[in-house]
């Protein structure tokens, strides 16, 4: 899952650590973090493990592997955020803009506790309102092109929006099966 879904799956105490999960490396670094931040990083990793091993997500990845190769999972992660954003009220009962601003406020308050690279990404996320932009075709296309410009190898992600739109019906059906499962996973995880 990408940023939007990670935030939806977070609570107030785990949101910042969940955001920074990809930027925290090593056991010693993790152990040195404040408790809520550490729990958020661990929750981030649990979300990623659940997602990457779920049969529906794997099916989605297979649908686009020919176009993206090793980066197919990245493409699906981002597209799932688009599908979540375009039906945000349905999935969360909240307005996407209000939710995004609440997330940005929480991140801003804790930015100094994040690793330096996470701070940089967070600043750009807030400045360019990435979360709300996931709901627009233009925003999603820009996200794909931005990621493509940073990959070490040819990823095909610069064409991600077009390729995934060509597979939207199947991917939307996959997402409709997958997202309720990960919401159940969250409920069970925090029991």
């Amino acid at each position: 899952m990408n940023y939007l879904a990670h935030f939806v799956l977070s609570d107030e105490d785990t949101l910042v650590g969940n955001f920074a999960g990809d930027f925290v490396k090593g056991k010693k670094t993790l152990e040195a973090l404040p408790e809520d931040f550490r729990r958020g990083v661990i929750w981030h990793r649990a979300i990623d493990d659940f997602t990457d091993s779920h049969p529906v997500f794997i099916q989605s990845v297979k649908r686009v592997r020919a176009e993206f190769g090793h980066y197919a999972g990245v493409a699906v992660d981002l597209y799932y955020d688009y599908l979540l954003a375009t039906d945000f009220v349905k999935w969360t009962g909240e307005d996407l803009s209000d939710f995004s601003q609440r997330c940005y406020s929480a991140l801003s308050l804790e930015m100094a506790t994040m690793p330096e690279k996470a701070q940089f990404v967070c600043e750009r996320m807030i400045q360019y309102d990435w979360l709300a932009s996931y709901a627009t075709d233009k925003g999603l296309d820009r996200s794909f092109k931005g990621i493509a410009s940073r990959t070490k190898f040819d990823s095909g992600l610069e064409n991600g929006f077009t390729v995934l739109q060509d597979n939207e019906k199947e991917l939307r059906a996959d997402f409709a099966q997958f997202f309720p499962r990960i919401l159940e996973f969250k409920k069970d995880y925090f029991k």
Side-chain angles (χ1 to χ4, degrees), residues 34-160:
E35 178 62 29
D36 286 345
F37 198 112
R38 184 172 51 248
R39 282 186 35 241
V41 171
I42 292 167
W43 174 228
H44 176 102
R45 293 173 181 171
I47 291 168
D48 285 353
D49 289 346
F50 177 87
T51 300
D52 292 344
S53 65
H54 196 280
V56 175
F57 183 80
I58 292 169
Q59 175 178 285
S60 290
V61 169
K62 286 179 182 176
R63 293 184 194 284
V64 297
R65 185 170 304 284
E67 290 86 354
F68 302 116
H70 175 72
Y71 295 96
V74 173
V76 173
D77 277 346
L78 191 53
Y79 200 69
Y80 272 18
D81 261 15
Y82 169 78
L83 296 172
L84 174 60
T86 57
D87 280 330
F88 199 75
V89 172
K90 171 188 166 185
W91 290 110
T92 68
E94 293 185 68
D95 175 76
L96 177 59
S97 181
D98 293 343
F99 178 82
S100 299
Q101 293 308 311
R102 201 169 63 254
C103 290
Y104 298 151
S105 293
L107 291 170
S108 294
L109 290 172
E110 299 294 329
M111 199 173 304
T113 65
M114 297 177 195
E116 192 173 313
K117 189 171 180 183
Q119 290 179 30
F120 174 78
V121 171
C122 185
E123 288 169 355
R124 292 187 60 84
M125 175 186 287
I126 294 167
Q127 180 181 2
Y128 296 105
D129 194 10
W130 288 359
L131 300 179
S133 75
Y134 290 148
T136 68
D137 295 356
K138 183 178 177 181
L140 183 64
D141 188 48
R142 187 175 38 243
S143 294
F144 275 118
K145 286 183 166 93
I147 294 170
S149 73
R150 294 186 301 276
T151 59
K152 291 180 183 179
F153 305 103
D154 182 27
S155 65
L157 291 171
E158 65 279 359
N159 302 314

Side-chain angles (χ1 to χ4, degrees), residues 17-30:
N18 194 343
F19 164 74
D22 286 331
F23 305 100
V24 174
K25 308 294 183 196
K27 188 176 180 180
K28 286 185 181 180
T29 304
L30 179 64

